[in-house]
Amino acid sequence: MHRNETDTGRTEVSDNDGVDVPSVGRRAFFSGAAALGSLSLLSSAQAAGNGPSVVQTQGAGGLLDPVTRYPAPPFPQQPQNWPGLQSRMTPRPDCGEEHYQGSGRLAGRKALITGGDSGIGRAVAIAYAREGADVAISYLPQEESDAREVAGLIQKAGRKVVLLPGDIRKEATCQKIVRKAVDELGGLDILVNNAGRQHYCEDILDLTTEEFDWTLKTNIYALFWLVKAAVPHLPKGSVIINTTSRNAYQPSHILVDYAMTKAGIANMTHSLARQLLPRGIRVNAVAPGPFWTPLQVCGAQPQSVVQHFGEETPYYRPGQPVEIAPVYVTLASQESSYVTGQVWGITGGDGVPG
């Protein structure tokens, strides 16, 4: 193990499996205006002038049309190498950086979110912090720049943040991530298994064992290892929230390995919910449809699909991560004490699952 001071004055601790743990932040109660988080007129992507513009007209009571609220395709082709950075996307995903307002629904809670640097994980991290939780996020070392942006937003909300870079395809890394989150946060009562790998392959004859193993290790093995490491630390009233997918129920023919893992996650959610409820731990999952995240531009879909991503939904657009974060807040909150073993589909109107 070695220790070195970062250029931000934070101390990083690392050892042989490559998990560096910067811990930053301060504690303060944060409250806001709306129970599920209110969003302002324009998304952060639009405010920044990145990508398609949307002209909003407020209706009665200042309500907004959900169909035209956020950018719709066509989007420019924008291939990135895995794992992708959302800071390079056009339009940039709206994760609630400017507009999510909390109301203390998770005050005093301690959350670990995998894949918390970008996309849905980032939106959940921001929402949890603004609802009063301290947050640890795990991510790949290549995503450090996005992760540090999130850290700044969590600090700004007055909460503690712990950064946990590392490759969760290794059991030792998953164990270390949980241990460091518990140590640095002073406990743990929310685990969000959100990190995932998706890479399309049009012909199973071209799907290599290495690629297949990569997807399973990231999506299934890591979830198993993280849950196993976390459960001994979770007090009664804790929650585990998994991210599955519409592909668990409507599998794409070019996502054989990914869809299989997402079906497995939905199945694991049901069985773990029954197993862990006697310990006072609730387990649920969220099944997103097409959401605009870095996953889509680094091999999850062909670029021709990315250009028209979300166009097939009744909304004629993809969802923005900020639009799904309130579901993760609700599932984590004490108000949902009778909710376990559920998979909530947020798929843009196609009713799956439901």
Side-chain angles (χ1 to χ4, degrees):
M1 178 176 289
H2 68 271
R3 189 177 293 265
N4 63 287
E5 293 297 319
T6 70
D7 57 3
T8 59
R10 294 182 284 174
T11 300
E12 296 187 357
V13 181
S14 65
D15 59 15
N16 291 335
D17 69 5
V19 180
D20 297 326
V21 189
S23 176
V24 298
R26 63 186 187 280
R27 296 181 179 270
F29 181 80
F30 182 89
S31 62
L36 286 181
S38 62
L39 304 174
S40 69
L41 180 61
L42 295 176
S43 72
S44 61
Q46 296 159 341
N50 294 329
S53 62
V54 178
V55 178
Q56 284 289 344
T57 302
Q58 286 190 345
L63 298 177
L64 300 174
D65 184 345
V67 175
T68 60
R69 183 167 190 169
Y70 290 101
F75 301 125
Q77 291 196 11
Q78 46 192 296
Q80 291 191 41
N81 293 326
W82 178 266
L85 294 173
Q86 90 164 36
S87 55
R88 293 176 52 198
M89 291 179 67
T90 302
R92 182 165 171 154
D94 189 333
C95 296
E97 293 92 343
E98 301 296 330
H99 312 299
Y100 188 96
Q101 296 183 29
S103 57
R105 296 180 75 198
L106 302 179
R109 303 289 295 277
K110 305 174 192 304
L112 168 59
I113 303 166
T114 66
D117 60 292
S118 63
I120 292 172
R122 179 189 186 108
V124 174
I126 292 168
Y128 279 11
R130 293 180 185 174
E131 295 289 354
D134 292 333
V135 181
I137 61 172
S138 81
Y139 53 94
L140 289 169
Q142 304 96 302
E143 301 168 310
E144 184 70 27
S145 60
D146 276 355
R148 288 181 180 269
E149 286 184 3
V150 180
L153 292 165
I154 294 172
Q155 284 183 286
K156 189 174 180 181
R159 308 312 308 173
K160 184 173 185 177
V161 58
V162 180
L163 300 182
L164 301 167
D167 190 339
I168 59 174
R169 288 180 293 170
K170 302 175 184 178
E171 183 174 9
T173 303
C174 291
Q175 293 170 341
K176 187 174 299 298
I177 283 171
V178 171
R179 184 171 69 251
K180 292 295 184 182
V182 171
D183 290 346
E184 297 293 333
L185 295 178
L188 187 68
D189 54 61
I190 303 172
L191 170 63
V192 178
N193 290 303
N194 172 74
R197 180 181 188 268
Q198 176 184 332
H199 199 280
Y200 81 94
C201 183
E202 296 178 337
D203 190 332
I204 195 167
L205 299 181
D206 297 326
L207 180 58
T208 67
T209 298
E210 181 184 16
E211 294 276 333
F212 187 82
D213 188 61
W214 189 352
T215 302
L216 264 68
K217 284 287 181 67
T218 304
N219 297 1
I220 292 289
Y221 277 68
L223 187 151
F224 165 67
W225 290 328
L226 288 160
V227 169
K228 191 173 180 180
V231 163
H233 301 283
L234 298 178
K236 290 183 182 297
S238 296
V239 296
I240 297 171
I241 305 172
N242 301 320
T243 300
T244 177
S245 169
R246 174 181 63 176
N247 274 278
Y249 304 90
Q250 294 178 329
S252 168
H253 69 287
I254 63 172
L255 298 173
V256 171
D257 54 341
Y258 174 80
M260 182 189 71
T261 63
K262 291 301 178 175
I265 290 171
N267 190 288
M268 288 176 70
T269 297
H270 296 310
S271 57
L272 283 171
R274 295 292 295 271
Q275 183 182 127
L276 296 180
L277 188 58
R279 295 175 181 261
I281 301 169
R282 295 186 295 110
V283 185
N284 294 287
V286 181
F291 274 80
W292 188 241
T293 73
L295 194 68
Q296 305 306 326
V297 300
C298 59
Q301 310 282 356
Q303 283 298 308
S304 59
V305 174
V306 172
Q307 285 185 287
H308 299 279
F309 191 62
E311 199 172 72
E312 77 284 359
T313 71
Y315 282 73
Y316 305 106
R317 66 168 178 85
Q320 293 292 326
V322 69
E323 295 181 280
I324 200 170
V327 176
Y328 287 82
V329 171
T330 296
L331 288 173
S333 71
Q334 292 290 294
E335 295 113 28
S336 296
S337 56
Y338 200 60
V339 179
T340 197
Q342 301 296 309
V343 178
W344 287 13
I346 313 297
T347 56
D350 70 2
V352 176

